[in-house]
Amino acid sequence: MQAGGPLSRFPLQQLNTAASGSESWPRPQKHEVSTLSDPSSMNSMMIFYLLYFLCLCLSVACVICLCVWNSLWRGGFAWDGSQLEFNWHPVLMVTGLVVLYGNGAVLYRIPLTWGYDKLPWKLLHAALMLLSLILSVVGLCAVFNYHNAKNIPNLYSLHSWIGIAAAALFAIQWVAGFAGFLLPWTPLSMRKLLKPVHVWLGGSILILSIAASISGINEKLFFALKGQTNETQPYSSLPPEALVGNSLGVLIVVFGLIVLRILSTSEWQRPDSSPEDRTYAPILREESD
């Protein structure tokens, strides 16, 4: 290849990009070409897509399992302060704080998105996380309304402490992410300082959410399956409801492990998240360019 060929101009283009504060197309394309030409990278991408496919399948399985459990054994859903309103709590919390949150976290790792402008994926990431946060808040409202209607104390169990901590940290995380990465007046030094904290806190929130979910499932099964006292089979005999609840917990744990595996693999980071590309402009500034 001649010295003046297309690839030789990439360093100059990167310098121009850093100076202008905008993202350019050639960098993702360059990384995408090198990925496809390397057999080891091809194998890595195959492993990624296998894990991502399992991630999507487990997402659907978790939501279906939640709906089946609360519909068939817990009586369905309502918003009237009864047990039926409480049934919204596990569905919304797991769907929001685990399923949507996990899928939003791995969005940037999908190689098919690397060759395109990052702006739409930033917006989709922010939207998924906001939807996740909204579902979580509604799920918390459901359990607080039920407890208040039945004169049950709030926030007394370890499950509730972990869950409220995860939701509170998530709200702080979203606000900080919006202010740090989307607003045009945020200094570059602040974004550089915020990014590793944002990544670390994101994984920590997912771990807390998984811990809250499986402890909540176990707590609910202990309360609901008391044996002869409430005309149910005891939890220790593993009736069908217990099997469904335990299986849901296993699905959630496996889903979380796959998401954390994807997030912890450096090979699957978006190429323009490398150090020389950390001068990207916030979303609102990109929209005005």
Side-chain angles (χ1 to χ4, degrees), residues 4-287:
L7 291 179
S8 65
R9 294 196 295 270
F10 272 98
L12 180 58
Q13 291 173 342
Q14 291 173 347
L15 291 175
N16 291 337
T17 298
S20 61
S22 61
E23 297 176 349
S24 61
W25 285 60
R27 282 173 292 160
Q29 291 176 344
K30 177 184 178 183
H31 284 278
E32 191 173 25
V33 171
S34 62
T35 297
L36 293 176
S37 61
D38 187 352
S40 62
S41 297
M42 283 289 292
N43 292 335
S44 178
M45 290 301 101
M46 290 178 62
I47 294 174
F48 169 85
Y49 280 115
L50 174 61
L51 292 178
Y52 185 64
F53 177 73
L54 290 175
C55 183
L56 295 177
C57 291
L58 288 169
S59 300
V60 176
C62 286
V63 175
I64 291 177
C65 195
L66 280 163
C67 294
V68 169
W69 178 23
N70 287 280
S71 297
L72 295 184
W73 284 281
R74 298 293 101 208
F77 304 94
W79 199 271
D80 54 6
S82 67
Q83 174 67 41
L84 300 184
E85 180 173 351
F86 175 86
N87 292 343
W88 282 112
H89 174 67
V91 173
L92 294 175
M93 298 304 288
V94 174
T95 302
L97 271 180
V98 177
V99 174
L100 281 178
Y101 185 94
N103 282 281
V106 302
L107 184 64
Y108 287 140
R109 305 304 176 100
I110 304 175
L112 288 177
T113 69
W114 294 352
Y116 298 92
D117 185 7
K118 193 176 181 181
L119 173 57
W121 306 106
K122 286 183 180 180
L123 294 173
L124 182 57
H125 173 77
L128 281 176
M129 291 305 189
L130 179 59
L131 178 59
S132 171
L133 181 59
I134 291 173
L135 292 181
S136 303
V137 170
V138 177
L140 289 175
C141 291
V143 69
F144 281 123
N145 288 345
Y146 169 73
H147 281 186
N148 294 335
K150 302 297 182 181
N151 294 319
I152 300 174
N154 291 307
L155 301 176
Y156 67 89
S157 66
L158 180 60
H159 157 70
S160 62
W161 288 10
I162 297 174
I164 202 70
L169 287 174
F170 184 22
I172 296 172
Q173 168 90 329
W174 195 91
V175 173
F178 179 84
F181 301 112
L182 276 70
L183 296 181
W185 50 78
T186 303
L188 176 60
S189 58
M190 180 62 68
R191 296 201 301 271
K192 289 182 178 181
L193 180 65
L194 181 61
K195 185 174 181 179
V197 177
H198 188 78
V199 173
W200 170 80
L201 188 58
S204 300
I205 292 170
L206 179 61
I207 293 173
L208 288 174
S209 301
I210 293 171
S213 297
I214 59 179
S215 62
I217 292 169
N218 207 28
E219 184 179 284
K220 178 60 179 178
L221 291 174
F222 274 122
F223 287 158
L225 303 178
K226 297 179 179 179
Q228 297 179 353
T229 57
N230 59 354
E231 298 181 352
T232 61
Q233 295 180 354
Y235 187 16
S236 58
S237 66
L238 279 181
E241 181 178 358
L243 290 175
V244 171
N246 288 353
S247 299
L248 173 61
V250 172
L251 291 174
I252 291 172
V253 170
V254 175
F255 171 83
L257 290 176
I258 291 177
V259 170
L260 292 174
R261 172 71 169 87
I262 292 175
L263 294 177
S264 63
T265 303
S266 59
E267 298 177 21
W268 299 336
Q269 290 182 356
R270 184 182 174 98
D272 58 359
S273 63
S274 55
E276 69 270 16
D277 300 304
R278 290 179 182 173
T279 55
Y280 64 88
I283 283 181
L284 297 183
R285 184 178 297 166
E286 289 175 354
E287 290 176 335

